[in-house]
Amino acid sequence: MKYLAVALVPFLLGAAPAPDVVDYTLAPELHDGTITALSVEVRFQGDKSGTTTFDWGDSWAGEEKLGQWARNLTVEGAQTTAPAPHGGRIIHSAPGAPLVVRYRVVSAFPADPTVADSKQSKPVVRPTWFYAVGEALFGTPVGRGDAPARFAWAGPPDVSFASDLEHDRARLGLRTKTVDDVVESIVIGGRDLRITNSTAGGAKLQVATIGQYAFDASAFETLASNIVATERRFWGATDDQPFLITMTPVASEPGRISYSGTGRTDAFALWMDTSAEMSNLGWLLAHEYFHTWNYRQLGEMGDGEREVASYWMSEGFTDFYARRLLLRSELITPEAFTSSWNEMLAAYARSTYRTAPEAKIAADFWKDRDAEKIPYQRGAMLAALWDARLREGGHGNLDDVLRDQQRRRTRMAAAPSLTALFAMTAAAHGLRIMPDLTRYVAQGRTLSLPAGAFGRCATVSEITRPVFERGYDVDATSKAGVITGLDPKSPAYRAGLRDGMRLLRRIAGVPGDSRVDYAIVVNDHGVVRTITFSPAGQMTETLQQIVLNSTLFAADPKGCAAILAG
């Protein structure tokens, strides 16, 4: 039996929408109890010219043709229609005529997403659950991003649902939701959806998860609540604007651990490897929740390559504060803080894009993993550099600049660019950033942190060490699921590793750090074995690393932790 849910709300009963309001309704399409697609209905008035384009955006997160998963699109109230560029329709109608667009969105995945093929830009529709970002799910009347919008979920009682579209407030305070808010949204639902509600730092926090993971769900919810409260205290937030965190399962593959997140204005979507531990989730949550303010309340970003050109601040500063605030709130130790920084500094040192100019990074951002990471790395290092200069000059620290920037932004009718407003605010605090931006971002020169960037209890030192090498072809091994391309001269071979062994998991070692022994569990023709080896290669690399002063930490652990956290 096929079932399409219908909600009893006024704008679903055939009445024309209020002028300029765009009404969205979402429902699961069910067949014999199985979710087969997501049904979308959009009601709005046509343009006064008589020609209205209903379509999806050009791209999002590197994915083009965002309307490619829409099927059976129909337009009620049109005289004629023609294909639009991204899967929608160019609609010809009477001027201002009531229009109703209906379509189905099918899954981009034939099975559960895995760590090898997961991508948040693609909608997931499985027999018992679904997940999608608004960019792929909702088409819009083009040119109406600022128009008021309403949303209704029309699913049956046995299919639970969560979305930031159900929040009673939109971004930046009290106002009607807009079409842009609908596009920048997440939806998740299913028969086994777990939803918990709590209060964190005075704000409503909802956590919605599908599936089972290698950690306790309640521990994750507690961690999320602590991070939300910590960051709200940092910004002095007093509103009760709700925040949603969703967690979607990604099927594991032998030898691979993967998780990713997407920040929304008032939500965070996490795609989680079902076998991954919770140890690194704090950093990811801290990063994504910080996006509620950076960049959203600090200035505007451009589109396309102009947007990427601002990532050194919107993403790099967010990385910097994820580490800083986790340490300040004692959610990580000084050792974990240092380890996270050192992993990033090592990745920066060996990046093939380390000296690439800004234009090259922007052009290759969605094509190359190293290009994607460089703005994060440069931005975090610039944040540390400028924070140290502010403290040395007696001008406070970077916290003071960002809070001041937020205050300035709220007083401006027209929002300046994110980086322009930061440069203006930093100058008022005695910090000139443009020479560094020209040198390290625009021109791509190599960045180095000063020895005292993190205060007297730690030193940034330049070290030379063997390069990190596992001894086998990582990409080929991941694809095949078994050890492939093993070097017979490698320490891994001498320890007993052989081509053809099935890689199950890593239980020790730090990817990128050749000083720590590596241990992996393999299936050797039916026998499960643990193989431990040194991942030190024959070549060497020179890079910066943070070294804690053990003597000072032993004498004053809390004081040194506070200094390290700025």
Side-chain angles (χ1 to χ4, degrees):
M1 169 177 167
K2 192 171 182 178
Y3 169 77
L4 180 62
V6 177
L8 297 178
V9 292
F11 61 85
L12 289 179
L13 301 180
D20 300 326
V21 175
V22 181
D23 286 318
Y24 286 86
T25 305
L26 178 68
E29 188 174 289
L30 304 176
H31 184 74
D32 292 336
T34 295
I35 303 173
T36 57
L38 296 176
S39 176
V40 180
E41 179 180 277
V42 189
R43 290 176 175 266
F44 56 97
Q45 288 188 328
D47 288 348
K48 294 179 180 179
S49 67
T51 300
T52 308
T53 300
F54 180 91
D55 208 359
W56 282 258
D58 293 341
S59 65
W60 182 78
E63 186 71 50
E64 298 180 350
K65 298 182 179 179
L66 292 165
Q68 64 182 290
W69 299 286
R71 301 287 186 273
N72 309 111
L73 190 150
T74 63
V75 183
E76 181 182 305
Q79 295 171 345
T80 61
T81 67
H86 306 297
R89 295 290 186 273
I90 298 172
I91 304 167
H92 300 286
S93 68
L99 300 174
V100 184
V101 176
R102 298 185 180 92
Y103 56 90
R104 306 164 59 244
V105 172
V106 299
S107 182
F109 300 88
D112 288 346
T114 71
V115 298
D117 64 8
S118 61
K119 197 173 181 182
Q120 288 212 23
S121 55
K122 298 180 177 181
V124 186
V125 182
R126 304 299 298 137
T128 61
W129 64 275
F130 60 87
Y131 167 88
V133 294
E135 286 86 351
L137 184 59
F138 298 117
T140 70
V142 173
R144 300 201 201 169
D146 292 332
R150 294 182 298 200
F151 172 81
W153 164 248
D158 63 335
V159 178
S160 299
F161 176 78
S163 172
D164 52 335
L165 290 173
E166 295 189 313
H167 290 166
D168 58 354
R169 297 185 181 203
R171 57 184 171 189
L172 300 181
L174 290 166
R175 69 165 174 79
T176 304
K177 274 186 169 58
T178 67
V179 170
D180 281 346
D181 291 325
V182 173
V183 172
E184 194 198 56
S185 66
I186 50 178
V187 303
I188 189 171
R191 291 193 168 83
D192 297 322
L193 183 69
R194 169 190 168 96
I195 300 176
T196 62
N197 295 280
S198 61
T199 300
K204 300 173 184 177
L205 174 64
Q206 184 177 73
V207 179
T209 62
I210 286 283
Q212 300 296 318
Y213 302 89
F215 49 82
D216 181 61
S218 62
F220 170 78
E221 291 153 8
T222 299
L223 174 66
S225 180
N226 288 337
I227 288 170
V228 169
T230 294
E231 296 195 357
R232 285 178 61 81
R233 284 194 300 270
F234 173 83
W235 290 104
T238 57
D239 61 71
D240 62 351
Q241 180 169 332
F243 193 78
L244 168 70
I245 298 175
T246 66
M247 188 155 60
T248 302
V250 178
S252 301
E253 287 194 350
R256 297 184 65 170
I257 295 293
S258 175
Y259 49 84
S260 63
T262 293
R264 312 269 80 176
T265 300
D266 50 4
F268 166 53
L270 176 65
W271 275 34
M272 190 69 196
D273 187 330
T274 54
S275 67
E277 301 295 332
M278 199 172 71
S279 56
N280 289 324
L281 284 186
W283 179 86
L284 185 60
L285 288 171
H287 174 103
E288 295 298 342
Y289 188 59
F290 201 78
H291 277 311
T292 301
W293 294 271
N294 183 28
Y295 65 97
R296 303 179 194 283
Q297 296 189 30
L298 301 179
E300 296 298 315
M301 296 173 66
D303 298 323
E305 292 186 4
R306 289 191 301 139
E307 177 182 347
V308 174
S310 298
Y311 280 177
W312 63 265
M313 182 174 176
S314 65
E315 299 295 349
F317 275 32
T318 304
D319 269 6
F320 174 84
Y321 275 101
R323 300 182 182 100
R324 167 170 278 191
L325 296 179
L326 286 172
L327 180 58
R328 282 185 186 172
S329 59
E330 299 182 352
L331 291 173
I332 61 173
T333 64
E335 291 77 14
F337 173 87
T338 303
S339 177
S340 177
W341 262 104
N342 285 343
E343 184 178 340
M344 187 278 286
L345 289 170
Y348 173 74
R350 65 175 65 100
S351 173
T352 57
Y353 280 80
R354 180 168 52 86
T355 58
E358 178 184 52
K360 176 67 173 173
I361 299 297
D364 293 355
F365 185 84
W366 296 111
K367 305 173 186 176
D368 189 284
R369 182 70 170 172
D370 277 1
E372 178 184 339
K373 288 299 180 184
I374 277 290
Y376 293 71
Q377 295 159 358
R378 285 176 177 167
M381 294 175 73
L382 284 170
L385 177 67
W386 292 334
D387 184 74
R389 286 182 186 167
L390 286 163
R391 287 185 281 107
E392 290 168 2
H395 300 292
N397 63 10
L398 193 62
D399 304 1
D400 302 313
V401 177
L402 290 190
R403 290 170 181 145
D404 188 16
Q405 183 175 346
Q406 183 197 27
R407 289 191 292 269
R408 290 169 182 253
R409 168 64 186 89
T410 59
R411 295 194 298 263
M412 294 178 172
S417 74
L418 175 70
T419 54
L421 184 54
F422 175 70
M424 180 193 312
T425 309
H429 288 255
L431 177 67
R432 295 175 63 247
I433 71 164
M434 295 312 297
D436 287 333
L437 284 185
T438 298
R439 183 179 300 111
Y440 301 124
V441 177
Q443 297 176 355
R445 296 186 188 180
T446 299
L447 253 167
S448 293
L449 295 179
F454 295 93
R456 64 182 179 85
C457 294
T459 302
V460 181
S461 303
E462 185 173 274
I463 67 170
T464 299
R465 70 187 188 191
V467 298
F468 176 84
E469 288 184 4
R470 295 177 179 86
Y472 51 86
D473 187 323
V474 176
D475 291 337
T477 297
S478 177
K479 184 176 181 180
V482 299
I483 300 298
T484 305
L486 182 64
D487 182 355
K489 297 180 181 179
S490 67
Y493 186 91
R494 291 195 296 272
L497 191 65
R498 295 294 184 269
D499 278 337
M501 291 182 177
R502 183 163 296 279
L503 178 58
L504 301 179
R505 61 188 179 276
R506 171 176 59 88
I507 59 173
V510 179
D513 192 340
S514 62
R515 300 167 297 181
V516 182
D517 280 352
Y518 215 70
I520 57 176
V521 179
V522 299
N523 187 320
D524 180 10
H525 299 90
V527 178
V528 176
R529 301 174 55 193
T530 298
I531 298 178
T532 303
F533 57 93
S534 168
Q538 297 298 312
M539 306 293 288
T540 60
E541 62 182 0
T542 299
L543 64 158
Q544 287 193 307
Q545 294 283 269
I546 304 170
V547 180
L548 298 179
N549 188 315
S550 57
T551 301
L552 292 178
F553 263 95
D556 185 10
K558 286 189 175 295
C560 273
I563 292 172
L564 191 65

